[in-house]
Amino acid sequence: MVESIRTKLLWAVIVLAVVFAGLALLSPWYLLAEIILVPLALLGIYDFFQKRHSILRNFPLAGHLRFLLEDMGPELHQY
């Protein structure tokens, strides 16, 4: 079930990035959506094929948030 949702969401982001790239030819305002969608699509593709972290493979956004908070941990603990 998770695999199906994860791949569908990844494909949706990729398709939206391609659609907005085409629409950017009509209006440059669509490039604002590209600034968000293209890095998300690239991150999702990278996480989909990497074998090192199962958390990033199964839950890419939540996994990156977890690792970011782990890195910030020592700075937060000093207060």
Side-chain angles (χ1 to χ4, degrees):
M1 180 73 178
V2 172
E3 182 73 25
S4 175
I5 293 170
R6 181 174 57 109
T7 55
K8 286 179 184 176
L9 184 61
L10 177 62
W11 279 109
V13 170
I14 292 170
V15 167
L16 281 174
V18 170
V19 167
F20 278 111
L23 290 174
L25 298 173
L26 300 174
S27 173
W29 288 104
Y30 289 107
L31 289 175
L32 294 175
E34 286 293 306
I35 292 171
I36 296 170
L37 291 173
V38 170
L40 277 179
L42 293 175
L43 182 66
I45 291 169
Y46 173 75
D47 286 339
F48 187 77
F49 289 109
Q50 62 91 19
K51 300 292 183 194
R52 188 172 174 185
H53 299 287
S54 62
I55 291 176
L56 292 178
R57 190 169 48 250
N58 292 326
F59 307 102
L61 293 178
H64 283 286
L65 183 63
R66 175 191 172 194
F67 290 135
L68 177 71
L69 290 174
E70 280 182 4
D71 289 340
M72 290 173 36
E75 287 84 7
L76 294 175
H77 286 283
Q78 72 182 354
Y79 289 110

